[in-house]
Amino acid sequence: MNDVMGIINLSESEENIKDLTLNRSVASIHILGRYRIIDFALSNMVNAGITNVAIYNHAKGHSLMMHLGSGKHWGLDRKRDGLFIFYPDQCFEDNNRRAGDLEYFKNHIDYLKTSTQQYVIMSRSYMICNMDYVKMVKYHKKTGADITIAYKEMENSVGRFMACDTLEVDPDDRIVGIGKNLGKEKYYNVSLETYVLKRELLIKLIEEAIQKGDARFLKEAIMNRIPGYDVKGWRFGGYLSCINSTSNYFLTNMELLNEDRWRELFNENGKICTKVMDAPSTYYSQDSFVSNTIVANGCIIEGTVENSIICRDVH
């Protein structure tokens, strides 16, 4: 994986999760007591041996910067490559939203042009999973595809992936269409919005889309060019959740109280790293009672806690 770099694109919809993103991005929301949402995407890249990772943030970056720091908790505080965090030139969220994330990439195109890796893995932060990127890159190279997109076949049960991108995949795993999940189909292929492609092709897509003015967002540029490229789908089989609404945020936390689901997410393809906080172990009083609960460190528990997730330093 020495020839692969990683990009985490934080231009994510906050329409249905605004209560949690007033002063922070989706990526920096707390989850499961001691983690942040971005920890999963970042750990996936580090676990695959990727040492050059860029995060394209769009606004409200203070909380994210405080969490990531130099990247040392993920082993990315390096003299060569390492962790890079980019922001749009303007700091007005509405203007940036109208411009689209292609403007972010154009403003920092020198980073892509001066990087030495041949391939790029691009992902979002709000897709919660533990994915083996090594397998995905091997599949991409084996098939000789121009672009590979990760997806998972899902059953439309409780609308957990409403408004997510869906992929139409033919029998040869070629993607022939990208749409939106409206909850009308019983089964569908949800896109993880994770792409593998050559760095030179990514630069070409960005510059071509801006020059022609036919897309504002990078994934739109890819969608518009599917007929002209060999775009393959790579099937992911592990745990997946999307934190694109307040209800999904709650359901994901509660779902991961199930030990089997928790182990599948945290132990399947490597550990999930987060910022280490120096705090004492949680204190449980003699008459406390805790059941089916995740408790972070630094807490004081003197009562009854059931079916809950307790963050750090809670009394």
Side-chain angles (χ1 to χ4, degrees):
M1 296 288 283
N2 291 333
D3 61 345
V4 182
M5 60 186 291
I7 292 177
I8 303 176
N9 183 5
L10 302 187
S11 177
E12 301 165 329
S13 174
E14 298 181 4
E15 184 65 28
N16 297 315
I17 198 170
K18 289 181 177 179
D19 290 341
L20 299 177
T21 59
L22 181 63
N23 297 309
R24 66 180 71 233
S25 63
V26 174
S28 60
I29 295 174
H30 291 268
I31 187 169
L32 295 172
R34 63 188 296 263
Y35 296 91
R36 304 291 184 105
I37 286 176
I38 198 172
D39 290 341
F40 297 90
L42 192 54
S43 295
N44 287 341
M45 292 187 175
V46 171
N47 290 338
I50 297 172
T51 58
N52 182 11
V53 180
I55 297 174
Y56 284 77
N57 194 27
H58 66 88
K60 298 176 291 189
H62 177 72
S63 177
L64 187 67
M65 284 291 297
M66 292 295 291
H67 178 66
L68 295 175
S70 64
K72 71 175 182 178
H73 299 287
W74 296 267
L76 292 174
D77 53 336
R78 306 168 58 90
K79 290 184 178 179
R80 181 178 179 182
D81 292 333
L83 180 66
F84 300 87
I85 304 177
F86 297 118
Y87 293 89
D89 288 346
Q90 290 180 303
C91 296
F92 302 101
E93 184 177 1
D94 290 340
N95 290 336
N96 288 326
R97 277 300 191 190
R98 285 195 292 270
D101 61 18
L102 276 175
E103 288 293 323
Y104 312 167
F105 289 105
K106 183 193 75 172
N107 293 339
H108 302 288
I109 198 74
D110 287 346
Y111 164 72
L112 290 172
K113 291 183 176 180
T114 57
S115 293
T116 58
Q117 289 80 9
Q118 184 179 2
Y119 295 92
V120 180
I121 289 182
M122 303 188 65
S123 74
R124 300 288 194 174
S125 74
Y126 63 10
M127 288 291 179
I128 303 297
C129 62
N130 192 339
M131 185 188 300
D132 189 344
Y133 284 157
V134 175
K135 290 182 179 179
M136 186 177 179
V137 171
K138 284 183 178 179
Y139 173 85
H140 176 78
K141 293 179 178 179
K142 180 180 178 181
T143 60
D146 295 312
I147 304 171
T148 299
I149 306 177
Y151 72 93
K152 182 175 182 180
E153 185 178 358
M154 303 290 295
E155 182 176 359
N156 215 348
S157 53
V158 291
R160 290 283 294 278
F161 294 91
M162 291 293 292
C164 288
D165 292 344
T166 58
L167 306 180
E168 185 179 350
V169 185
D170 71 11
D172 295 324
D173 291 327
R174 189 173 187 274
I175 294 174
V176 295
I178 301 179
K180 288 287 184 183
N181 178 28
L182 300 179
K184 303 297 183 181
E185 303 290 336
K186 185 176 181 181
Y187 296 97
Y188 59 95
N189 297 317
V190 62
S191 170
L192 276 68
E193 298 186 49
T194 299
Y195 312 88
V196 177
L197 69 166
K198 285 188 175 180
R199 179 173 56 88
E200 295 296 333
L201 177 57
L202 175 60
I203 295 171
K204 179 182 177 182
L205 288 172
I206 293 168
E207 295 179 338
E208 188 177 276
I210 291 174
Q211 181 173 326
K212 292 184 176 180
D214 60 358
R216 294 185 304 119
F217 293 89
L218 181 59
K219 71 176 182 180
E220 289 179 352
I222 293 174
M223 291 178 191
N224 295 341
R225 287 157 180 78
I226 281 181
Y229 289 101
D230 182 15
V231 184
K232 293 285 190 180
W234 181 75
R235 186 191 297 265
F236 173 67
Y239 174 85
L240 176 66
S241 183
C242 181
I243 312 295
N244 62 353
S245 69
T246 306
S247 61
N248 276 355
Y249 173 73
F250 172 77
L251 290 171
T252 300
N253 277 277
M254 294 297 100
E255 182 177 63
L256 289 169
L257 287 174
N258 180 298
E259 186 175 353
D260 292 336
R261 291 288 178 88
W262 189 92
R263 291 186 182 279
E264 182 181 9
L265 176 61
F266 282 89
N267 298 332
E268 188 70 22
N269 294 303
K271 63 182 180 180
I272 304 299
C273 298
T274 190
K275 181 179 180 180
V276 175
M277 302 290 287
D278 294 326
S281 301
T282 290
Y283 168 76
Y284 298 89
S285 69
Q286 196 168 13
D287 57 350
S288 64
F289 177 81
V290 179
S291 173
N292 194 38
T293 294
I294 295 174
V295 183
N297 58 335
C299 297
I300 299 174
I301 308 297
E302 296 182 311
T304 298
V305 186
E306 296 180 287
N307 305 321
S308 300
I309 292 173
I310 309 298
C311 293
R312 291 176 169 126
D313 301 325
V314 171
H315 185 184

